[in-house]
Amino acid sequence: MCGIVAYVGGRTAYSILIKGLQRLEYRGYDSAGIALFNGKTNVYKCQGKVKDLQALVKGKEIAGSVGMGHTRWATHGEPSDRNAHPHRSMHGKFYVVHNGIIENYAHLKKELASREYTFQSETDTEALANLIENIYLEQKVDAELAVRLALTKVVGAYGLVIICEDEPGTLIAARKGSPLVIGVGEHEYFLASDATPIVEYTDRVVYLNDEEVAVITADSLDLKNLYNDVKTPDIKRIKLNIDNIDKGEYEHFMLKEIHEQPSSITDTFRGRIAMDESKIFLGGVLDVMPRLLEAKRIIIIACGTSWHAALVGEYLFEEYARMPVEVEYASEFRYRNPVIGKDDLVIAISQSGETADTLAAVRLVKKTGATILGICNVAGSSLSRETDAGVYTHAGIEIGVASTKAFTSQITVLTMMAFLLGNKRQALSAGDYKELIHELIRVPKQIAGMLKSEENIKKIAAAYKNVSHALYLGRGILFPVALEGALKLKEISYIHAEGYPAAEMKHGPIALIDEAMPVCVLALSDRLYEKTVSNIQEVKTRQGKVIAVATAGNKDIYRIADHVIEIPPCHEAMSPLLTIAPLQLLAYHIAVMRGCNVDQPRNLAKSVTVE
Ligand code: AGP
């Protein structure tokens, strides 16, 4: 997804914008640009990275205390200098940066072309810049009204910052579907797609709502909706701090976030478990608890890694709350005609809270009267504002595109929710409830202990860094972990990897097994261990290589596996939390050894805010 930063105030905008764009690099992008206003507007933009933009600007005019910047993740028009943002309107009255998609841009372009407008790029954004200018010049209205009138003609999603050359010192911002955060300083304002470029300057923010327009100068913030209704800015304080967005002693954000999991899981359950470990509190769902208890079915919708967390949730709710569960890809669900009633409990899981498919599925559900909860990691995100209630994962900001700590925090929330509902629905005795809570509280220390065996995982990574394919196998609650392990490997190392239920291997994938195919098998000493051992044997008799994730103390596994990664003995319910960390590290080290861009893998974005 694209990234937007903007500034108006007393300081030089250039360094604030460049630093802001660097803070947004984690979102994934293919080109970058800035516009600086100093009596006139200087625009610098190019295909490539922020460092390429800095090289382009070297020695050029960078004065100005008003400006905006953009990192582009191409949707309409290939990555190129001319398609990079900011876009200038034909007569040079307006400059626009945009995150989102204008679905009716072809129609708008055609209409503008009939009014002699020409275009320098293939983007939908340039059509919007020209539309705003055309209204501004023809209807002789001020810039803010021209923007609002233009946006009433737009179909699609946008996060926009606009500069009008005739209104120096003013930024206009608008949002529909793509987030924008306003940072409130002293005689200065900041704008960004999320809080990361803002936190080092102020902790006071205003989250723009859909169809709101802000007019901002160094000393004023005026808010209204598209229909000219004045709004009062709701200023919130954010808890993010600068340490959260620095790599510290780690080479990559992803490695830092893998190692943060003992503390991030602790943060997820902090304040939500009674001191005597006898009960769980999820304040965010208290108001809808009666509806949760009456629910006849749970439907969980998500994408990617969050969908894998949802699959773990299915095992947890079924086993501990005795509730039927269906797990749906949000991208599929939103285009079906699902049968949902008011007795259904729908849970949407999203780290960013901005995934377009997940938000679209939520909007579909809201029409049915079913209760919808959000499990999300970003306060103030669209998901957190569009669901009836929810639980924040409190994993802290996750910069690496490959989700790690957010995944284990999502599972921690689902685990607490399953235990809580299980106890309230008398599916879990008080004694079992307490024992399970105690098992959950032990997990951070167990993960911390396991992360110390990173050297062993690095050796295994070295043995398999040049393979072209890999299989991940797991049974029961570990099947979703096999899927997640495979996703981690493929998305950062570009090795083709698939996750399967271990028993499924005989129904096709076994045909792939040969000496070039590593098979990672989750083989804990649980009730399915013997069955999983049979699968390992089937791989070995076909010269496959086996990496076993096994329970410490199991000596037999060393006889049959080529490599063993040990995890401490744990309760079955905690096994997803304990088994995913070594798979995250395995994928990370293989990707690093292959020279891949671990934090910003090719073609990927941190949050897919477009379809
Ligand atoms: C996971 O490593 C990927 N980055 C991706 O699958 C991600 O989980 C998916 O896009 C969903 O994002 P969300 O949790 O922010 O909705």
Side-chain angles (χ1 to χ4, degrees):
M1 70 200 155
C2 303
I4 290 174
V5 288
Y7 175 76
V8 57
R11 297 190 240 194
T12 303
Y14 175 73
S15 51
I16 293 172
L17 297 178
I18 290 294
K19 206 170 181 187
L21 292 180
Q22 289 165 338
R23 295 272 186 231
L24 293 178
E25 287 192 289
Y26 75 91
R27 297 159 69 95
Y29 70 106
D30 49 58
S31 36
I34 54 171
L36 297 163
F37 186 82
N38 182 32
K40 70 178 185 62
T41 306
N42 292 308
V43 177
Y44 307 105
K45 59 184 188 173
C46 64
Q47 181 181 354
K49 296 300 183 186
V50 174
K51 61 182 177 16
D52 302 311
L53 175 63
Q54 287 175 286
L56 174 71
V57 174
K58 210 163 178 56
K60 294 190 178 130
E61 173 59 54
I62 58 166
S65 59
V66 185
M68 56 191 184
H70 186 270
T71 51
R72 179 174 183 250
W73 190 75
T75 53
H76 293 79
E78 86 288 350
S80 63
D81 294 355
R82 66 194 186 101
N83 286 335
H85 300 209
H87 284 286
R88 174 181 179 276
S89 59
M90 189 174 80
H91 299 294
K93 292 291 183 188
F94 288 89
Y95 294 83
V96 179
V97 290
H98 169 222
N99 178 22
I101 285 187
I102 294 172
E103 295 175 10
N104 63 332
Y105 86 103
H107 167 72
L108 297 173
K109 275 185 89 161
K110 201 155 157 259
E111 227 183 62
L112 288 159
S114 69
R115 297 183 197 152
E116 314 298 312
Y117 267 85
T118 58
F119 297 85
Q120 307 310 313
S121 78
E122 303 153 285
T123 66
D124 52 347
T125 309
E126 188 186 11
L128 178 60
N130 282 338
L131 176 63
I132 295 169
E133 181 181 80
N134 181 246
I135 292 171
Y136 176 76
L137 295 174
E138 281 196 355
Q139 299 187 29
K140 297 187 179 17
V141 293
D142 69 14
E144 182 265 336
L145 179 52
V147 169
R148 280 195 290 114
L149 292 173
L151 292 179
T152 55
K153 292 170 176 284
V154 160
V155 175
Y158 53 80
L160 292 168
V161 178
I162 297 145
I163 289 176
C164 173
E165 280 239 329
D166 298 340
E167 299 187 13
T170 302
L171 293 174
I172 299 173
R175 175 224 151 117
K176 184 180 176 189
S178 294
L180 270 180
V181 185
I182 301 170
V184 182
E186 293 302 320
H187 308 293
E188 60 182 4
Y189 284 89
F190 307 82
L191 268 153
S193 300
D194 64 41
T196 44
I198 293 172
V199 288
E200 58 197 281
Y201 305 108
T202 178
D203 64 352
R204 299 166 66 226
V205 295
V206 174
Y207 294 102
L208 262 191
N209 291 308
D210 276 354
E211 298 198 335
E212 282 185 348
V213 177
V215 179
I216 308 168
T217 67
D219 292 306
S220 65
L221 163 58
D222 296 318
L223 209 49
K224 53 176 72 171
N225 66 14
L226 284 187
Y227 315 101
N228 207 23
D229 301 322
V230 176
K231 300 277 183 178
T232 308
D234 177 10
I235 298 178
K236 296 187 184 297
R237 285 199 180 273
I238 44 175
K239 297 191 181 63
L240 210 51
N241 65 53
I242 195 73
D243 295 344
N244 295 133
I245 52 180
D246 268 333
K247 286 185 276 200
E249 83 267 18
Y250 294 98
E251 190 184 350
H252 297 100
F253 280 109
M254 183 180 173
L255 185 60
K256 177 188 173 201
E257 287 152 8
I258 291 171
H259 282 274
E260 277 179 341
Q261 290 178 115
S263 56
S264 54
I265 290 172
T266 303
D267 291 341
T268 304
F269 61 62
R270 189 190 308 281
R272 291 169 163 166
I273 293 178
M275 291 305 284
D276 64 358
E277 301 181 3
S278 62
K279 58 171 79 76
I280 289 166
F281 313 100
L282 293 176
V285 299
L286 227 44
D287 298 348
V288 295
M289 188 54 73
R291 286 193 271 166
L292 304 196
L293 297 178
E294 285 147 23
K296 299 284 181 292
R297 174 178 62 157
I298 296 176
I299 300 169
I300 314 178
I301 47 182
C303 298
T305 286
S306 299
W307 184 79
H308 296 153
L311 286 177
V312 173
E314 179 174 25
Y315 286 90
L316 293 167
F317 283 117
E318 196 174 68
E319 177 70 26
Y320 301 103
R322 301 304 297 146
M323 294 177 77
V325 183
E326 288 172 27
V327 175
E328 301 280 359
Y329 276 120
S331 54
E332 285 298 304
F333 187 81
R334 63 177 290 192
Y335 292 114
R336 289 202 336 244
N337 185 15
V339 179
I340 306 174
K342 60 179 178 36
D343 292 342
D344 287 323
L345 165 59
V346 179
I347 301 174
I349 304 176
S350 174
Q351 186 287 130
S352 63
E354 299 302 343
T355 298
D357 286 323
T358 305
L359 293 175
V362 164
R363 289 160 193 157
L364 172 70
V365 169
K366 285 177 79 166
K367 295 179 193 146
T368 68
T371 303
I372 177 135
L373 303 183
I375 296 178
C376 179
N377 195 41
V378 178
S381 62
S382 302
L383 182 72
S384 65
R385 291 174 313 139
E386 295 190 26
T387 43
D388 299 323
V391 182
Y392 282 123
T393 45
H394 294 163
I397 188 160
E398 186 176 67
I399 304 278
V401 166
S403 188
T404 51
K405 64 175 183 174
F407 175 67
T408 47
S409 286
Q410 288 167 348
I411 291 176
T412 303
V413 168
L414 289 163
T415 304
M416 289 194 286
M417 219 180 253
F419 293 171
L420 171 64
L421 289 179
N423 178 256
K424 285 195 179 287
R425 292 165 55 96
Q426 279 87 42
L428 265 185
S429 70
D432 290 345
Y433 186 31
K434 187 163 181 170
E435 188 220 323
L436 287 165
I437 291 171
H438 178 69
E439 291 294 331
L440 177 60
I441 290 173
R442 294 176 60 213
V443 164
K445 273 204 181 65
Q446 291 174 307
I447 293 179
M450 215 171 40
L451 290 174
K452 294 193 179 91
S453 62
E454 188 164 357
E455 281 314 306
N456 173 42
I457 294 171
K458 272 173 95 167
K459 284 197 193 94
I460 297 170
Y464 297 105
K465 65 181 187 300
N466 296 320
V467 298
S468 305
H469 304 279
L471 264 188
Y472 287 71
L473 303 179
R475 283 178 180 264
I477 198 170
L478 295 178
F479 161 50
V481 179
L483 293 175
E484 176 59 12
L487 175 61
K488 288 288 99 39
L489 184 67
K490 73 181 119 181
E491 69 175 324
I492 62 172
S493 73
Y494 316 143
I495 293 172
H496 169 243
E498 287 184 77
Y500 266 95
E504 266 304 294
M505 204 183 53
K506 290 191 293 298
H507 301 280
I510 198 165
L512 296 173
I513 304 297
D514 60 21
E515 63 288 343
M517 173 70 86
V519 181
C520 185
V521 186
L522 298 164
L524 302 193
S525 304
D526 56 20
R527 55 195 168 86
L528 298 169
Y529 176 71
E530 292 312 327
K531 305 281 182 201
T532 306
V533 167
S534 314
N535 299 132
I536 292 176
Q537 305 287 18
E538 287 152 10
V539 171
K540 294 302 297 168
T541 51
R542 291 161 179 83
Q543 290 73 52
K545 295 283 184 286
V546 170
I547 303 164
V549 179
T551 305
N554 173 0
K555 300 300 174 211
D556 288 347
I557 198 74
Y558 284 87
R559 277 188 310 99
I560 54 176
D562 298 275
H563 307 274
V564 177
I565 298 170
E566 290 191 350
I567 69 151
C570 67
H571 190 284
E572 182 183 64
M574 308 308 146
S575 57
L577 290 170
L578 287 162
T579 48
I580 189 57
L583 302 189
Q584 293 165 345
L585 283 173
L586 181 63
Y588 169 80
H589 286 297
I590 288 176
V592 168
M593 291 171 187
R594 292 168 67 96
C596 296
N597 183 341
V598 172
D599 282 335
Q600 298 164 37
R602 67 185 182 197
N603 308 337
L604 286 178
K606 181 58 185 171
S607 169
V608 184
T609 57
V610 295
E611 282 193 49

